[in-house]
Amino acid sequence: MQTIETEVLVIGGGATGVGVARDAALRGFATVLVERKDLAEGTTGRYHGLLHSGGRYAVKDPQAARECAAENGVLRRIAADCIEDTGGLFVTTPWDDVEFGDRFLAGCAATGVGVEEIEVGAALVREPALNPDIRRAFLVADASMDAWKLAWACARSAVEHGARVLTYHRVTEVLRNGDAVAGVVTVDVRTGVTLTVRAQVTVNATGAWAGQLAALAGCRPVDVVPGKGIMIAMNHRIVNTVLNRCTMPSDGDIIVPIRTVSVVGTTDSPVTDPDQLEVTQAEVDHMLDEGEKLVPGFRKARALRVWAGARPLFGAKEPGDEKTRDITRAHTLLDHRQRDGLDGFVTITGGKATTFRLMAEETMDLVARMASPGTDRPCRTATLPLPDSEPGAYYAVGSRLAQRERHLLDDQLVCECELVSRRDLTEALDRRPTANIDDIRRALRLGMGPCQGGFCTYRATGILHHQERLDQATANRALLDFLQERWKGLAPILYGDQLRQARLDDWLYQGLLDVEHLPAAAGAP
Amino acid sequence: MSDDGEIVVVGAGMAGLVAALRLAEAGRRARILAKGFGATHLSGATIDVLGYTPAPVMSPAGALPAFVAEHPDHPYARVGAGVVEEAVGWLKGHLTDPRYVGDLGRNFLLPTAAGVCKPAAVAPQTMAAGDLRGGGPYAIVGLPGLKDFYPSLVAGNLALATTPAGTAVGARAVEVDLSPGGRVDAGPLGYARRFEDPRFRADFAAALQGRLAADEVLGVPAVLGLAGAEQAWEELEARVERPIFEIPTLPPSVPGLRMFTVLMAAARRAGARVVIGAEVVGVETDGYRVRGVWSGTANGRRFYPTAALVLATGGWAAGGLVMDSHRVVREPVLGLPVTGADDGAARFLPGYLDHHPLATAGIAVDRWLRPVDARGAVLYDNVRVAGATLAGAEPWKEKSGDGISVATGYHAAMSVLTEEG
Ligand SMILES: Cc1cc2nc3c(=O)[nH]c(=O)nc-3n(C[C@H](O)[C@H](O)[C@H](O)COP(=O)(O)OP(=O)(O)OC[C@H]3O[C@@H](n4cnc5c(N)ncnc54)[C@H](O)[C@@H]3O)c2cc1C
Ligand SMILES: Cc1cc2nc3c(=O)[nH]c(=O)nc-3n(C[C@H](O)[C@H](O)[C@H](O)COP(=O)(O)OP(=O)(O)OC[C@H]3O[C@@H](n4cnc5c(N)ncnc54)[C@H](O)[C@@H]3O)c2cc1C
């Protein structure tokens, strides 16, 4: 079995994990990150896409509001390319208490969240689809943030500073050296090859899986309850500003415009296994009904896809946890030496994507004290821009189109919905060889538009195979896997035009191409 | 019902075209009202009758009696195996440029753009040489500007196939670096227009010169011209001195457009009138008969009196059946009951390739294709339903798409004609 040695080992390739890895690498630590799937395949790639202004927590959770407000400013500086500066509105719909607006304003003022109450008429001019019966409107600095871009930019930066990022490496065992964690054993889930990573400090950044991972380390139970939330992407930009209900946080009260779509969400229900997140009909209907309150006619819009993510909710049932737990209620940093007498092991969980950098900074402050006591290695992530964000320009919704128009004659459009070209695809594959079209989806948004892979699934398979990146059986498998992956998010929302689209895709893949009789399909489960 | 009354056919897909052509041919005034074009423009353009039950079907004629017995609610069971054969034979007589070959006695096994050999009873002559029984060896040609066809994927999967006789199949990919006007994103139609030009065909043949083994059969994406395809194909075969076959690409479908053009011209010649861009938005009835339909166009609403109505609206894919966000299903033209979409019951299963309960949902009919209610009572005497709006089939899995449309479109017309004496 191969073994590698490092100073800092990070488990989990979500926003938190890549944030910690980048922070560690920038501080000069030898760093390795292991992720059991692709980067941002956990909660980070399934979140609502909102870079919080802090407004949502201004009344309910001032600490979280304060952190969001500060990090919103930081991320706008260092991660501009991942952010679309949509702005956000908090609106009082007929279902909401008008007085709450006053508490909201006071909360924002107390927590440093920038806010301005505007005329209802001005809000309606800005967002014509908004419910005309709203009674108050407040403008905040909400924005939408691309989780995949963010995760990959952090990872790239970490790698540029010497870190190793190992995707598809699942931790199966946590190695102990007496009262200390000495590293982990991973298995490459694609090849079955095992790898040992020995480290001075191991950071458990596995989000909703943090409890499972801590159990492998054999410490006292870390009580993380996965809280399931569903989101539905609607065709088109129904709105161009993030819309929030001005009320206590509840279900289905936010619509976020992301790239080509608008996403409504979300829910919150405790589940036992973060890998089993079923979407029910009732939840879908609930989201559509709530969406209707913010944007009348919402139900008539075309739903493209539904998915669910799992929030890591830290329970703190164990006596003593309150003490060892970091002061903020927004996220949880556990020093297992203090908590369990287990050296070289730290858990960071909870929080928001918006605060990932802060979480990483606090984690690495602790880790730096453990790994190199007495030396001063300050955090640099608050000021150093991520790759592609150096110019400081926000992403704009038309930018892909502008880019496409420059190459109309010399490049092929592989995914019309998301404007992905053959060159984009080839470059993404050169950067990151992969046998998995779903990885490409996350890198490029391939197959995420209205046709949900209707055309590009075949094309991507054909190109990957043509460029000899996939052998025949793997190509066939990749095509079928991607169709299955798309189906998972379609089945619960199939009605209206998306049902029509799905039937067209049935005709294309089964009626025309006969993919169910591909050689690989024979042995399929 | 007066003999000279016009008969409205709603829909211009295969089912509507067949019904209108058959009616017009029999001397009836037929009028197609269609919201838009149908799946002809997307279709692989083979006439698939029955390919899988789910076991592979070698002979549709042989398999149909048992299939019909096992699927009493299938459209084929309504019209009967004999009508299927008669209708497909009749259609073949109308398909020229290119001519169609084959019959229900035996399925061709024709390579798709994924390299799977798909069973089809009747196919354009330009595709027939791809039949897997020939065993190849195949040289599959790719054109770099065509993103809807990947020769290495086709060849790679063909090379994994065996013929029904059990022999191995040889296949490889060949790229021909020709693109219309140097465009890198030309699409099937862009190529098809170029292939109508003999000089382009000569360049194509020249580019293959010396690159093919003596016994290789040449597979090309189905882009050998829109008009005059048969001639283009024959000429190319002569130039490269070997059989050539076309493989359908992703839509838009060049062979589908050819088929549509030929059938539409035949229908018009026979006297049918066609209005594309006219959505039927309502009907006037007197009890059990439809008196006429309202169409909505850019010019406003218009009423068409009708002696009988053929509903060929294409099912879920074409808006012939719809479901709203409350999961309420509806047949929008006549408000007919939709069977197989029961409230509360699961409509979709977890696996993409599963048999989803909703797949066979549609309009239930009697053996004259008249719509019936849950107890089997006829709802409208002078309405016939044809094509993908019918309940009981999973044509994309069975490989029975145009077979069903042709058989039921034909039978709908015959049933209108017989009833009227
Ligand atoms: C429905 C929903 C909506 C949300 N919306 C927002 C929002 O709009 N704005 C916002 O700021 N925040 C939002 N959040 C919160 C935010 O998404 C999360 O807090 C954040 O993404 C968590 O990141 P993470 O890196 O800690 O966890 P994750 O992204 O879950 O990363 C953990 C990783 O660990 C990996 N892992 C698990 N076990 C192993 C193992 N054994 N070996 C190797 N790797 C392993 C997983 O595969 C996973 O990739 C939302 C959360 C949910 C659930
Ligand atoms: C990509 C693809 C590939 C296929 N490949 C093959 C193949 O290779 N072989 C094969 O046998 N079959 C194939 N099929 C199946 C076949 O082409 C048809 O889908 C099938 O025959 C159904 O035809 P239809 O006439 O019932 O419906 P459609 O062709 O869908 O036509 C429906 C018509 O009804 C019209 N319409 C709907 N509602 C209204 C309204 N309210 N008012 C007016 N007009 C209305 C539509 O505009 C359209 O003109 C394929 C289908 C697709 C989509």
Side-chain angles (χ1 to χ4, degrees):
Chain A
M1 195 195 306
Q2 207 200 327
T3 301
I4 54 179
E5 307 260 345
T6 188
E7 289 173 301
V8 178
L9 166 66
V10 184
I11 309 169
T16 311
V18 293
V20 172
R22 177 177 192 240
D23 192 313
L26 286 178
R27 290 185 204 229
F29 287 105
T31 306
V32 172
L33 181 146
V34 293
E35 159 60 49
R36 63 177 184 156
K37 292 183 176 174
D38 194 17
L39 294 186
E41 259 243 45
T43 307
T44 300
R46 297 166 207 274
Y47 87 138
H48 203 163
L50 173 55
L51 176 67
H52 284 287
S53 59
R56 183 165 174 79
Y57 306 104
V59 175
K60 193 183 175 191
D61 188 345
Q63 175 69 18
R66 219 168 273 123
E67 287 177 1
C68 284
E71 285 301 303
N72 181 298
V74 173
L75 293 188
R76 282 169 178 270
R77 282 198 305 277
I78 68 154
D81 185 49
C82 310
I83 293 170
E84 183 186 344
D85 187 18
T86 59
L89 282 170
F90 278 76
V91 296
T92 309
T93 72
W95 293 268
D96 307 322
D97 176 14
V98 180
E99 308 287 290
F100 187 87
D102 300 330
R103 291 171 64 197
F104 176 71
L105 282 174
C108 287
T111 54
V113 174
V115 62
E116 179 196 348
E117 179 156 15
I118 61 172
E119 296 289 326
V120 164
L124 290 170
V125 166
R126 184 182 171 122
E127 287 301 336
L130 189 57
N131 188 337
D133 294 331
I134 59 164
R135 285 172 291 177
R136 296 180 78 171
F138 307 88
L139 203 54
V140 296
D142 285 344
S144 71
M145 181 163 74
D146 187 318
W148 297 292
K149 263 191 171 182
L150 183 76
W152 279 99
C154 286
R156 256 171 75 197
S157 170
V159 169
E160 282 165 14
H161 290 86
R164 286 185 70 178
V165 173
L166 304 173
T167 55
Y168 292 102
H169 280 63
R170 181 194 185 89
V171 171
T172 52
E173 198 184 322
V174 173
L175 299 172
R176 291 277 295 259
N177 185 359
D179 282 343
V181 165
V184 297
V185 177
T186 67
V187 59
D188 183 328
V189 295
R190 292 168 305 185
T191 61
V193 174
T194 53
L195 171 74
T196 299
V197 186
R198 297 201 164 271
Q200 281 178 36
V201 182
T202 299
V203 178
N204 171 15
T206 54
W209 292 265
Q212 289 180 12
L213 209 285
L216 288 180
C219 59
R220 273 196 301 136
V222 171
D223 180 32
V224 175
V225 181
K228 181 186 78 171
I230 78 153
M231 287 138 288
I232 304 175
M234 309 299 284
N235 195 16
H236 301 314
R237 301 269 291 213
I238 297 171
V239 293
N240 287 304
T241 308
V242 175
L243 295 187
N244 305 262
R245 295 262 294 276
C246 191
T247 177
M248 276 302 196
S250 167
D251 286 356
D253 54 357
I254 305 183
I255 301 176
V256 184
I258 309 176
R259 299 294 191 108
T260 54
V261 301
S262 308
V263 180
V264 67
T266 174
T267 55
D268 198 351
S269 43
V271 294
T272 47
D273 182 355
D275 286 312
Q276 300 295 329
L277 303 177
E278 230 175 287
V279 175
T280 67
Q281 198 71 67
E283 287 168 328
V284 168
D285 278 325
H286 187 34
M287 288 304 99
L288 296 176
D289 287 337
E290 294 304 309
E292 194 75 33
K293 292 177 180 168
L294 277 166
V295 174
F298 195 80
R299 269 188 172 272
K300 294 214 172 61
R302 172 169 169 182
L304 294 184
R305 184 173 175 80
V306 61
W307 68 94
R311 289 180 196 80
L313 303 174
F314 186 71
K317 283 196 200 117
E318 294 286 316
D321 270 354
E322 284 304 336
K323 271 190 273 116
T324 50
R325 211 173 141 191
D326 193 85
I327 12 74
T328 147
R329 289 165 55 204
H331 55 262
T332 306
L333 177 62
L334 300 176
D335 177 350
H336 291 280
R337 180 177 45 188
Q338 252 190 54
R339 181 182 186 261
D340 307 304
L342 187 58
D343 218 349
F345 191 51
V346 167
T347 292
I348 174 75
T349 184
K352 320 253 168 285
T354 302
T355 56
F356 86 96
R357 193 211 60 82
L358 177 68
M359 292 161 68
E361 177 176 344
E362 290 177 6
T363 305
M364 278 312 299
D365 285 347
L366 172 64
V367 170
R369 286 197 299 275
M370 293 164 72
S372 56
T375 60
D376 184 27
R377 299 200 193 184
C379 173
R380 293 167 60 203
T381 57
T383 49
L384 196 68
L386 286 164
D388 292 340
S389 288
E390 297 92 346
Y394 293 125
Y395 165 84
V397 70
S399 61
R400 270 207 181 166
L401 188 58
Q403 193 189 351
R404 251 317 283 171
E405 280 174 341
R406 284 196 290 279
H407 294 286
L408 274 185
L409 293 176
D410 63 353
D411 201 2
Q412 258 178 15
L413 206 48
V414 175
C415 168
E416 278 92 351
C417 301
E418 295 286 346
L419 298 172
V420 179
S421 76
R422 189 171 179 136
R423 194 172 300 148
D424 298 335
L425 187 65
T426 305
E427 284 171 6
L429 290 164
D430 287 345
R431 275 200 301 277
R432 197 158 83 84
T434 174
N436 183 333
I437 306 175
D438 208 42
D439 290 352
I440 304 171
R441 170 179 74 85
R442 281 183 295 274
L444 297 175
R445 297 185 65 83
L446 181 97
M448 293 180 70
C451 90
Q452 287 287 301
F455 284 73
C456 65
T457 305
Y458 170 70
R459 291 176 184 155
T461 309
I463 292 170
L464 261 71
H465 180 261
H466 172 78
Q467 296 180 346
E468 294 180 5
R469 297 178 199 260
L470 301 184
D471 64 25
Q472 196 66 40
T474 320
N476 294 345
R477 192 71 260 160
L479 186 147
L480 292 167
D481 284 351
F482 194 60
L483 290 175
Q484 177 60 38
E485 160 61 30
R486 301 280 76 196
W487 176 251
K488 208 177 66 193
L490 278 168
I493 49 92
L494 275 189
Y495 61 81
D497 283 342
Q498 203 58 23
L499 173 57
R500 188 171 173 178
Q501 177 72 52
R503 182 51 47 83
L504 176 65
D505 293 348
D506 291 339
W507 278 114
L508 282 173
Y509 284 92
Q510 301 179 52
L512 185 67
L513 297 173
D514 200 2
V515 299
E516 67 272 44
H517 296 99
L518 278 169
Chain B
M1 177 184 313
S2 70
D3 277 337
D4 57 351
E6 192 168 77
I7 297 165
V8 168
V9 176
V10 189
M14 183 57 100
L17 284 169
V18 162
L21 173 56
R22 186 69 199 94
L23 287 166
E25 220 179 39
R28 292 303 309 259
R29 287 206 289 137
R31 179 186 292 272
I32 291 181
L33 295 178
K35 190 168 58 176
F37 297 122
T40 43
H41 292 47
L42 317 172
S43 149
T46 54
I47 309 298
D48 303 350
V49 173
L50 189 62
Y52 299 100
T53 62
V57 171
M58 290 302 140
S59 160
L64 271 172
F67 181 77
V68 159
E70 277 167 35
H71 300 86
D73 295 326
H74 195 278
Y76 285 158
R78 291 290 180 274
V79 303
V83 169
V84 180
E85 188 142 19
E86 180 184 325
V88 172
W90 167 87
L91 179 81
K92 218 175 112 182
H94 281 283
L95 291 170
T96 55
D97 195 22
R99 273 168 292 168
Y100 274 58
V101 293
D103 54 48
L104 269 56
R106 198 189 73 163
N107 272 330
F108 292 109
L109 297 171
L110 300 177
T112 70
V116 177
C117 288
K118 189 184 92 162
V122 172
Q125 197 170 187
T126 58
M127 294 183 190
D131 192 0
L132 181 67
R133 287 185 189 80
Y138 298 104
I140 308 295
V141 176
L143 298 156
L146 193 58
K147 63 190 173 195
D148 293 324
F149 185 78
Y150 294 89
S152 52
L153 193 65
V154 178
N157 277 325
L158 281 175
L160 293 175
T162 46
T163 67
T167 50
V169 175
R172 68 188 181 100
V174 183
E175 292 275 346
V176 170
D177 202 356
L178 271 187
S179 51
R183 277 160 59 200
V184 298
D185 199 349
L189 291 177
Y191 274 102
R193 290 194 190 94
R194 293 311 302 269
F195 267 102
E196 288 173 7
D197 180 351
R199 282 167 306 181
F200 192 80
R201 297 201 291 267
D203 289 347
F204 180 76
L208 285 166
Q209 192 70 46
R211 296 177 62 192
L212 302 174
D215 56 347
E216 274 176 334
V217 181
L218 200 64
V220 299
V223 297
L224 299 183
L226 275 170
E230 183 148 315
Q231 194 201 332
W233 166 73
E234 275 171 356
E235 185 209 286
L236 266 179
E237 279 204 329
R239 279 186 191 275
V240 299
E241 298 176 319
R242 67 192 64 238
I244 293 183
F245 64 100
E246 291 187 301
I247 302 171
T249 65
L250 287 192
S253 163
V254 171
L257 273 158
R258 291 175 197 146
M259 186 171 72
F260 170 81
T261 309
V262 166
L263 291 176
M264 188 53 93
R268 286 190 204 266
R269 266 199 314 276
R273 291 168 206 210
V274 182
V275 191
I276 305 278
E279 177 171 7
V280 173
V281 293
V283 297
E284 299 287 338
T285 70
D286 43 17
Y288 294 98
R289 302 188 75 79
V290 171
R291 288 193 297 109
V293 306
W294 285 100
S295 82
T297 66
N299 297 332
R301 279 159 67 94
R302 180 164 167 192
F303 186 69
Y304 294 91
T306 185
L309 183 76
V310 178
L311 189 73
T313 46
W316 305 101
L321 300 169
V322 295
M323 188 194 288
D324 69 14
S325 72
H326 297 280
R327 275 65 173 181
V328 176
V329 295
R330 210 160 49 84
E331 184 287 300
V333 172
L334 287 153
L336 298 173
V338 180
T339 58
D342 301 331
D343 235 17
R347 288 170 175 179
F348 302 105
L349 302 179
Y352 173 61
L353 295 174
D354 288 347
H355 292 275
H356 304 290
L358 192 79
T360 53
I363 306 302
V365 290
D366 71 358
R367 65 197 186 96
W368 297 110
L369 300 178
R370 293 176 300 190
V372 297
D373 66 14
R375 294 189 313 278
V378 172
L379 293 162
Y380 293 102
D381 286 335
N382 66 339
V383 170
R384 304 291 182 279
V385 185
T389 295
L390 289 168
E394 232 177 329
W396 50 93
K397 277 201 194 311
E398 298 160 8
K399 314 300 183 246
S400 61
D402 279 340
I404 291 175
S405 294
V406 171
T408 56
Y410 180 89
H411 191 62
M414 296 305 277
S415 147
V416 169
L417 293 168
T418 356
E419 190 200 325
E420 297 190 357

Coordinates of all heavy atoms in Angstrom, one line a residue, chain B residues 208-246:
Chain B
L208 N -12.0 10.0 -49.6 CA -12.0 8.6 -49.1 C -11.1 7.7 -50.0 O -10.8 6.5 -49.6 CB -13.4 8.0 -49.1 CG -14.3 8.5 -48.0 CD1 -15.8 8.2 -48.3 CD2 -13.8 8.0 -46.7
Q209 N -10.7 8.2 -51.1 CA -9.8 7.5 -52.0 C -8.7 6.8 -51.3 O -7.9 7.5 -50.6 CB -9.3 8.4 -53.1 CG -8.7 7.8 -54.3 CD -9.8 7.1 -55.2 OE1 -10.8 7.6 -55.4 NE2 -9.5 5.8 -55.5
G210 N -8.6 5.5 -51.5 CA -7.4 4.8 -50.9 C -7.4 4.6 -49.4 O -6.5 4.1 -48.9
R211 N -8.5 5.0 -48.8 CA -8.5 4.9 -47.3 C -9.4 3.7 -46.9 O -9.6 3.5 -45.7 CB -9.0 6.2 -46.7 CG -8.1 7.4 -46.9 CD -8.6 8.6 -46.4 NE -8.8 8.6 -44.9 CZ -9.4 9.5 -44.2 NH1 -10.0 10.5 -44.8 NH2 -9.5 9.4 -42.9
L212 N -10.1 3.0 -47.8 CA -11.0 2.0 -47.4 C -10.5 0.6 -47.9 O -9.9 0.5 -49.0 CB -12.4 2.3 -48.0 CG -13.0 3.6 -47.7 CD1 -14.3 3.8 -48.5 CD2 -13.3 3.7 -46.2
A213 N -10.8 -0.4 -47.1 CA -10.4 -1.7 -47.5 C -11.5 -2.2 -48.5 O -12.6 -1.7 -48.5 CB -10.4 -2.7 -46.3
A214 N -11.1 -3.2 -49.3 CA -12.0 -3.6 -50.4 C -13.4 -4.0 -50.0 O -14.4 -3.7 -50.6 CB -11.3 -4.7 -51.1
D215 N -13.5 -4.7 -48.8 CA -14.8 -5.2 -48.5 C -15.6 -4.3 -47.5 O -16.6 -4.7 -47.1 CB -14.6 -6.6 -47.8 CG -13.7 -6.6 -46.6 OD1 -13.0 -5.5 -46.5 OD2 -13.6 -7.5 -45.9
E216 N -15.1 -3.2 -47.2 CA -15.7 -2.4 -46.2 C -17.0 -1.7 -46.7 O -17.0 -1.1 -47.8 CB -14.8 -1.3 -45.7 CG -13.9 -1.8 -44.5 CD -12.9 -0.8 -44.0 OE1 -12.5 0.1 -44.8 OE2 -12.5 -0.9 -42.8
V217 N -18.0 -1.8 -45.9 CA -19.3 -1.1 -46.2 C -19.2 0.3 -45.6 O -18.7 0.4 -44.4 CB -20.5 -1.9 -45.6 CG1 -21.8 -1.2 -46.0 CG2 -20.4 -3.3 -46.1
L218 N -19.7 1.3 -46.3 CA -19.5 2.6 -45.8 C -20.7 3.2 -45.1 O -21.8 3.3 -45.7 CB -19.1 3.5 -46.9 CG -18.5 4.9 -46.6 CD1 -17.1 4.6 -46.0 CD2 -18.3 5.7 -47.9
G219 N -20.6 3.5 -43.8 CA -21.7 4.1 -43.0 C -21.5 5.6 -42.9 O -20.4 6.0 -42.6
V220 N -22.5 6.4 -43.3 CA -22.3 7.9 -43.2 C -23.5 8.5 -42.4 O -24.5 7.9 -42.4 CB -22.3 8.5 -44.6 CG1 -21.2 8.0 -45.5 CG2 -23.6 8.3 -45.4
P221 N -23.2 9.6 -41.8 CA -24.4 10.3 -41.1 C -25.5 10.6 -42.2 O -25.1 10.8 -43.3 CB -23.8 11.5 -40.5 CG -22.5 11.7 -41.2 CD -22.0 10.4 -41.6
A222 N -26.7 10.6 -41.8 CA -27.8 10.7 -42.7 C -28.0 12.2 -43.1 O -28.9 12.9 -42.7 CB -29.1 10.2 -42.1
V223 N -27.1 12.6 -44.0 CA -27.1 14.0 -44.5 C -26.9 14.1 -46.0 O -26.4 15.1 -46.5 CB -26.0 14.8 -43.7 CG1 -26.2 14.9 -42.2 CG2 -24.6 14.3 -44.0
L224 N -27.2 13.0 -46.7 CA -26.9 12.9 -48.1 C -27.9 13.7 -48.9 O -28.5 13.2 -49.9 CB -26.8 11.5 -48.6 CG -25.7 10.7 -48.0 CD1 -25.6 9.3 -48.6 CD2 -24.3 11.3 -48.1
G225 N -28.2 14.9 -48.6 CA -29.1 15.7 -49.4 C -30.6 15.6 -48.9 O -31.0 14.6 -48.4
L226 N -31.3 16.7 -49.0 CA -32.7 16.7 -48.7 C -33.5 16.3 -49.9 O -34.2 15.3 -49.8 CB -33.2 18.1 -48.2 CG -32.9 18.5 -46.8 CD1 -33.2 20.0 -46.6 CD2 -33.8 17.7 -45.9
A227 N -33.4 17.0 -51.0 CA -34.0 16.6 -52.2 C -33.0 15.8 -53.0 O -31.8 16.0 -52.9 CB -34.4 17.9 -53.0
G228 N -33.6 14.9 -53.8 CA -32.7 14.1 -54.7 C -31.8 13.2 -53.9 O -30.7 12.8 -54.4
A229 N -32.2 12.7 -52.7 CA -31.3 12.0 -51.9 C -30.9 10.6 -52.5 O -29.8 10.1 -52.4 CB -31.9 11.8 -50.5
E230 N -32.0 10.0 -53.1 CA -31.7 8.7 -53.7 C -30.7 8.8 -54.8 O -29.8 7.9 -54.9 CB -33.0 8.1 -54.3 CG -32.9 6.7 -54.8 CD -34.1 5.9 -54.6 OE1 -34.7 6.0 -53.5 OE2 -34.5 5.3 -55.6
Q231 N -30.8 9.8 -55.6 CA -29.8 9.9 -56.7 C -28.4 10.2 -56.1 O -27.4 9.6 -56.6 CB -30.2 11.1 -57.6 CG -29.5 11.1 -58.9 CD -29.6 12.5 -59.5 OE1 -30.6 13.3 -59.3 NE2 -28.6 12.9 -60.3
A232 N -28.4 11.1 -55.1 CA -27.1 11.4 -54.5 C -26.4 10.1 -53.9 O -25.2 9.9 -54.1 CB -27.3 12.4 -53.4
W233 N -27.2 9.3 -53.3 CA -26.8 8.1 -52.7 C -26.3 7.1 -53.7 O -25.2 6.5 -53.6 CB -27.9 7.5 -51.9 CG -27.7 6.1 -51.4 CD1 -26.9 5.7 -50.4 CD2 -28.4 5.0 -51.9 NE1 -27.0 4.3 -50.3 CE2 -27.9 3.9 -51.2 CE3 -29.4 4.8 -52.9 CZ2 -28.4 2.6 -51.4 CZ3 -29.8 3.5 -53.1 CH2 -29.3 2.4 -52.4
E234 N -27.1 7.0 -54.8 CA -26.6 6.0 -55.9 C -25.3 6.5 -56.5 O -24.4 5.7 -56.7 CB -27.7 6.0 -57.0 CG -28.8 4.9 -56.6 CD -30.0 5.0 -57.5 OE1 -30.0 5.9 -58.4 OE2 -30.9 4.2 -57.4
E235 N -25.3 7.8 -56.7 CA -24.0 8.3 -57.4 C -22.8 8.1 -56.5 O -21.8 7.7 -56.9 CB -24.2 9.8 -57.7 CG -23.1 10.4 -58.4 CD -22.9 11.8 -58.1 OE1 -23.8 12.6 -58.6 OE2 -22.0 12.2 -57.4
L236 N -23.0 8.3 -55.2 CA -21.9 8.1 -54.2 C -21.5 6.7 -54.2 O -20.3 6.4 -54.1 CB -22.3 8.6 -52.9 CG -21.9 10.1 -52.5 CD1 -22.4 10.4 -51.1 CD2 -20.4 10.3 -52.6
E237 N -22.5 5.8 -54.2 CA -22.1 4.4 -54.1 C -21.3 4.0 -55.3 O -20.3 3.3 -55.2 CB -23.4 3.5 -54.1 CG -24.1 3.3 -52.8 CD -24.9 2.1 -52.7 OE1 -25.5 1.7 -53.7 OE2 -25.1 1.5 -51.6
A238 N -21.6 4.6 -56.5 CA -20.9 4.3 -57.7 C -19.5 4.8 -57.5 O -18.5 4.2 -57.9 CB -21.6 4.9 -58.9
R239 N -19.4 6.1 -57.0 CA -18.1 6.7 -56.9 C -17.1 5.9 -55.9 O -15.9 5.8 -56.2 CB -18.2 8.1 -56.3 CG -18.6 9.1 -57.4 CD -18.5 10.5 -56.7 NE -19.1 11.5 -57.6 CZ -18.4 12.2 -58.5 NH1 -17.2 11.9 -58.8 NH2 -19.0 13.1 -59.3
V240 N -17.6 5.5 -54.8 CA -16.8 4.8 -53.9 C -16.8 3.3 -54.1 O -16.1 2.6 -53.3 CB -17.1 5.1 -52.4 CG1 -16.9 6.6 -52.1 CG2 -18.5 4.7 -52.0
E241 N -17.6 2.9 -55.0 CA -17.6 1.4 -55.4 C -17.8 0.5 -54.3 O -17.1 -0.5 -54.1 CB -16.2 1.1 -56.1 CG -16.0 1.9 -57.4 CD -14.7 1.7 -58.0 OE1 -13.7 1.6 -57.3 OE2 -14.6 1.6 -59.3
R242 N -18.9 0.8 -53.5 CA -19.2 -0.1 -52.4 C -20.6 0.4 -51.9 O -21.0 1.5 -52.1 CB -18.2 -0.1 -51.3 CG -18.1 1.3 -50.6 CD -16.9 1.4 -49.7 NE -15.7 1.4 -50.5 CZ -14.8 0.5 -50.3 NH1 -14.9 -0.4 -49.3 NH2 -13.7 0.5 -51.0
P243 N -21.3 -0.5 -51.1 CA -22.5 -0.1 -50.5 C -22.3 1.0 -49.5 O -21.3 1.0 -48.8 CB -23.1 -1.4 -49.8 CG -22.3 -2.5 -50.4 CD -20.9 -1.9 -50.8
I244 N -23.3 2.0 -49.5 CA -23.2 3.0 -48.5 C -24.6 3.0 -47.8 O -25.6 2.7 -48.4 CB -23.1 4.4 -49.2 CG1 -21.7 4.6 -49.9 CG2 -23.3 5.6 -48.2 CD1 -21.5 5.9 -50.5
F245 N -24.5 3.3 -46.5 CA -25.8 3.4 -45.8 C -25.7 4.6 -44.9 O -24.6 5.0 -44.3 CB -26.1 2.2 -44.9 CG -25.1 1.9 -43.9 CD1 -25.4 2.2 -42.5 CD2 -23.9 1.2 -44.1 CE1 -24.5 1.9 -41.5 CE2 -23.0 0.9 -43.1 CZ -23.3 1.3 -41.8
E246 N -26.9 5.2 -44.7 CA -27.0 6.4 -43.8 C -27.4 6.0 -42.4 O -28.1 5.0 -42.2 CB -28.1 7.4 -44.4 CG -27.8 8.0 -45.7 CD -28.8 9.1 -46.0 OE1 -30.0 8.7 -46.1 OE2 -28.5 10.3 -46.1

